[in-house]
Amino acid sequence: MAVVLIGTGMAGLRGQMPGVEPRPYILRFDEDKPNPLYRRICYTFAWNAVLNFALLNLVAWLLPPSPACGT
């Protein structure tokens, strides 16, 4: 946990995290610019969390309860 806090703190001080940019990060729709690396990584982990949560809940609904659970 300390490594994550130190890493995010350093990135925040350098302005490399969402919300800490020195000026507003506004994309114009006519500009063809790729997303920054940190944003691609954050979006990847966010989608991973959403999909895992949904799939685990779906599996829990579809599978019958185990006799070991006591139900």
Side-chain angles (χ1 to χ4, degrees), residues 8-16 20:
T8 54
M10 289 173 36
L13 290 174
R14 290 192 324 250
Q16 297 293 316
V20 298

Side-chain angles (χ1 to χ4, degrees), residues 49-64:
V50 168
L51 293 175
N52 282 327
F53 181 78
L55 288 174
L56 285 173
N57 278 301
L58 180 66
V59 168
W61 275 87
L62 296 177
L63 290 179

Side-chain angles (χ1 to χ4, degrees), residues 18 21 23-24 37 39 43 50 61 68-69:
E21 291 93 352
R23 56 191 166 103
L37 179 62
R39 191 167 288 172
Y43 287 168
V50 168
W61 275 87
C69 292

